[in-house]
Amino acid sequence: MHMTVLTSASPAIATAAIAGSTGYAGRELHRLLASHPRLAATTCTADTRALAESDIVFLALPHGASGEIASELASARVPVVDMSADLRAEWQYGLPELQRVAIASAAAIANPGCYATAALLALAPLAEAGVIEPHVVVDGKSGVSGAGKRPTDANIFSNAAEGIAPYSPVGHHHQAEIERQLSALSGAGQHTVTFTPHMAPFTRGLLVTAYCRMSAPVAQAELDGLYLDRYDGEPFVRYADGVRTQPLRCTNLCHLKAWADPERGAIVIASAIDNLVKGAAGQAIQNANLLLDLDEALGLPGEASWL
């Protein structure tokens, strides 16, 4: 396997190849890697042999297009981060806040979906603590960039501006992804999810609101402590009031807040990210940093660009 061995003390620059560099996620990879001190984008191609000469490969291809290339690269023992939905049920799932140790020891990583990232970070502390019923409801709203670069009836300006609409309310591929990971986290049986995504009239950003039933009484102070303890020390997760999309533009941050409703036995959680960074390219670099034994936060924006 061709790979530059990196340590935290080494000045070596690793080479990164990008397949699918012209889409929104691929462009975000270029933007972020341009300021990464230890990782440089040197190859942009879908040619497997050229990709295999790099220290790590990012696949930013459309859903359904990664499978063959990904398998060839994995067989050649080239570290790969796939950003499509193609291999999320097969490869090591790459949500660092939940699978950091497993990611670092893997070679092929399936980057989570944008909605799934926000939803799982919102629900993980509750599933792990076993304080919610097995069924949850997740409402998601994403900026138009989440629909991809290719123009469609849904994302052209005249249809997307000044309105909001649901899509794929049953069977969206993120639904099974959230269910699979949430069930693994709880260790107490199968979780099911009602998930409805919406396209919202802004360019980038994503907001998830999740609704759960308590399996045992949880007070607000206990709920706050659960989240603060779970994400203590995490470089990109903030638990605070005022969850909204604007402050997270172009950052790798996730902002969370949970509210207890003891009278109704319910918990509501809001989770916001930039769908192109923490929901795609930024998280891919976070995973690459782990694969290359670098500081996980290296080269990633963790400060808000709007207040």
Side-chain angles (χ1 to χ4, degrees), residues 187-212:
Q190 181 70 28
H191 275 270
T192 56
V193 177
T194 297
F195 170 59
T196 305
H198 300 73
M199 185 176 294
F202 46 84
T203 301
R204 62 197 297 161
L206 183 150
L207 178 72
V208 153
T209 310
Y211 305 88
C212 315

Side-chain angles (χ1 to χ4, degrees), residues 63-108:
H63 299 312
S66 289
E68 185 175 347
I69 265 184
S71 297
E72 289 176 2
L73 290 168
S75 297
R77 300 180 60 80
V78 179
V80 186
V81 180
D82 179 31
M83 297 165 65
S84 77
D86 296 3
L87 295 159
R88 288 176 187 152
E90 302 170 37
W91 283 10
Q92 173 59 53
Y93 195 69
L95 187 47
E97 289 78 9
L98 306 183
Q99 288 113 355
R100 183 170 285 114
V101 174
I103 292 166
S105 60

Side-chain angles (χ1 to χ4, degrees), residues 110-127:
N111 221 49
C114 53
Y115 282 117
T117 293
L120 289 167
L121 290 174
L123 294 165
L126 305 175

Side-chain angles (χ1 to χ4, degrees), residues 73-305:
L73 290 168
S75 297
R77 300 180 60 80
V78 179
V80 186
V81 180
D82 179 31
M83 297 165 65
S84 77
D86 296 3
L87 295 159
R88 288 176 187 152
E90 302 170 37
W91 283 10
Q92 173 59 53
Y93 195 69
L95 187 47
E97 289 78 9
L98 306 183
Q99 288 113 355
R100 183 170 285 114
V101 174
I103 292 166
S105 60
I109 303 298
N111 221 49
C114 53
Y115 282 117
T117 293
L120 289 167
L121 290 174
L123 294 165
L126 305 175
E128 290 171 341
V131 297
I132 55 173
E133 296 292 337
H135 186 72
V136 300
V137 175
V138 175
D139 175 279
K141 298 175 178 66
S142 174
V144 180
S145 60
K149 182 182 175 184
R150 180 174 296 177
T152 67
D153 286 343
N155 65 18
I156 61 172
F157 179 81
S158 58
N159 289 345
E162 302 178 38
I164 188 167
Y167 63 95
S168 301
V170 177
H172 190 285
H173 61 85
H174 285 314
Q175 183 176 25
E177 181 182 347
I178 297 167
E179 288 178 336
R180 189 165 54 246
Q181 298 300 322
L182 204 57
S183 299
L185 285 171
S186 73
Q190 181 70 28
H191 275 270
T192 56
V193 177
T194 297
F195 170 59
T196 305
H198 300 73
M199 185 176 294
F202 46 84
T203 301
R204 62 197 297 161
L206 183 150
L207 178 72
V208 153
T209 310
Y211 305 88
C212 315
R213 302 288 302 177
M214 297 177 184
S215 58
V218 182
Q220 185 64 48
E222 182 184 355
L223 189 62
D224 291 340
L226 194 64
Y227 278 82
L228 290 168
D229 289 346
R230 177 60 179 81
Y231 293 121
D232 181 44
E234 288 292 345
F236 298 116
V237 181
R238 308 281 188 273
Y239 183 73
D241 292 325
V243 175
R244 56 190 299 128
T245 58
Q246 294 100 317
L248 306 181
R249 287 175 62 88
C250 301
T251 79
N252 201 54
L253 294 173
C254 174
H255 283 183
L256 297 168
K257 178 63 180 178
W259 296 270
D261 186 352
E263 185 177 343
R264 294 165 184 82
I267 299 173
V268 180
I269 316 100
S271 175
I273 61 172
D274 183 317
N275 59 298
L276 294 178
V277 187
K278 183 59 175 167
Q283 186 145 261
I285 291 174
Q286 199 176 346
N287 281 316
N289 285 339
L290 288 168
L291 288 175
L292 296 172
D293 196 27
L294 295 171
D295 183 326
E296 184 179 325
L298 204 60
L300 290 169
E303 293 298 326
S305 60

